[in-house]
Amino acid sequence: RIEAGVTSIAFDISSATYTQAFSTAAKETQPTGFAFNNDGTKMYVCGYSSDSVNEYALSTAYDVSTASFTAAFSTASQSTNPSGIAFKPDGTIMYISEAYNSSILQYALSSAFDVSTASYTQNFSVAAQEADVRGVAFSTDGTKMLITGIGGDDVNEYALSTGFDISSASFTDLFSVASETANPEDLFFNPDGTQMFIVGTSAATIFKYTLTTGFDISTASYASVSFSVNSQDNAPYGIAFNSDGTKFYVVGQQNDNVYQYATTGTSFSTDHLIGKAITATQINIKDYTG
């Protein structure tokens, strides 16, 4: 007897389910960037209407329905078009991608993940590669920075000789996503950098890519896996996952919401299985007994 059930499968967007939403409209009516702190008890939204990074506390980690606004940090002195957010893993540095000036802005936080303590330190121009930068991400050790934008419809990779110091960045490679989306707005990597996710507004869809070498986009290829969020929002701008990849989040401008999804797939138990052959896209077999 084969018994199938639905379970969460890490970083599998192929059969995800929408669960709930949180409105950003009270603070931001054109949300673009989205991020969490490292334990999911804080989330951050930036955008074009407030020119700020808005910080929210989550009383239940990674549950957007429990979010409440706590602080805001204005980027207006450096950018009136903040399009993406990333943090150093310890929360002491914040990065903002600046859309129309094609720059990455770096801020120091004297209290980890507390944007009210942020101060501007430096910027790095990516204009030679991308005229309209949107998303920014880093490798886990900070020695690589990756950006995406709607000027080149690609992902650009930079090497940092000093981890997390953007002044030490130099361009190394690019990877085109134009075959999947004409407007890549944001990108996200799993912890080891072997899976990359791009959200685009042209199709209101998330696309998944695999990398044979972590965070090395020269080894990237489209995994032929995608997930449409058009039923919730036709203008998705930002994407993030929870720490174990069983939930992901999209921020969209159509309704000014953060949308939460659960990754799901089919798992099988094989008790009393006698002489049966099994083929499945996703399968988790722990015992094979008669």
Side-chain angles (χ1 to χ4, degrees):
R1 183 175 76 247
I2 303 174
E3 296 179 351
V6 175
T7 188
S8 293
I9 298 178
F11 299 102
D12 180 10
I13 64 171
S14 61
S15 56
T17 55
Y18 167 67
T19 56
Q20 58 187 343
F22 174 82
S23 175
T24 68
K27 300 298 177 182
E28 179 57 62
T29 57
Q30 290 181 285
T32 53
F34 181 76
F36 286 102
N37 69 340
N38 52 12
D39 65 2
T41 59
K42 290 186 176 184
M43 75 177 185
Y44 308 84
V45 177
C46 70
Y48 298 160
S49 68
S50 68
D51 301 331
S52 295
V53 179
N54 294 288
E55 178 184 309
Y56 300 82
L58 282 70
S59 56
T60 300
Y62 296 111
D63 181 349
V64 299
S65 71
T66 69
S68 58
F69 174 76
T70 54
F73 174 77
S74 174
T75 64
S77 295
Q78 294 81 44
S79 172
T80 56
N81 295 287
S83 56
I85 312 171
F87 286 89
K88 185 180 178 182
D90 67 2
T92 60
I93 302 177
M94 177 176 69
Y95 307 87
I96 299 294
S97 50
E98 207 287 325
Y100 302 122
N101 287 332
S102 300
S103 295
I104 306 301
L105 308 171
Q106 182 172 321
Y107 299 83
L109 283 71
S110 57
S111 181
F113 294 108
D114 181 351
V115 299
S116 69
T117 69
S119 58
Y120 173 68
T121 55
Q122 60 184 337
N123 74 87
F124 177 80
S125 174
V126 297
Q129 290 77 45
E130 178 55 61
D132 195 347
V133 64
R134 298 303 175 94
V136 58
F138 287 81
S139 61
T140 50
D141 63 1
T143 59
K144 290 189 177 183
M145 178 175 72
L146 303 105
I147 66 161
T148 191
I150 65 174
D153 300 332
D154 51 24
V155 178
N156 293 280
E157 179 185 313
Y158 301 80
L160 281 70
S161 56
T162 301
F164 297 106
D165 179 356
I166 60 174
S167 70
S168 70
S170 59
F171 174 71
T172 54
D173 211 343
L174 65 82
F175 174 77
S176 176
V177 297
S179 296
E180 289 75 57
T181 180
N183 292 296
E185 297 289 348
D186 200 9
L187 74 171
F188 187 91
F189 289 86
N190 72 333
D192 66 6
T194 58
Q195 297 180 67
M196 176 175 71
F197 301 85
I198 301 287
V199 63
T201 53
S202 61
T205 297
I206 301 166
F207 300 93
K208 181 178 181 178
Y209 301 81
T210 56
L211 289 75
T212 55
T213 301
F215 298 106
D216 180 352
I217 58 168
S218 70
T219 70
S221 60
Y222 178 47
S224 297
V225 175
S226 63
F227 180 79
S228 174
V229 298
N230 192 59
S231 294
Q232 286 76 52
D233 202 293
N234 63 17
Y237 273 75
I239 183 171
F241 281 74
N242 68 343
S243 56
D244 65 6
T246 57
K247 295 178 182 178
F248 67 90
Y249 309 80
V250 171
V251 64
Q253 286 192 7
Q254 180 188 13
N255 302 308
D256 304 328
N257 281 333
V258 176
Y259 302 93
Q260 181 173 317
Y261 300 82
T263 62
T264 56
T266 305
S267 63
F268 293 83
S269 65
T270 58
D271 55 315
H272 307 296
L273 180 63
I274 303 175
K276 300 291 183 179
I278 301 172
T279 58
T281 302
Q282 295 159 333
I283 188 165
N284 178 19
I285 299 176
K286 293 183 179 179
D287 299 299
Y288 193 93
T289 57

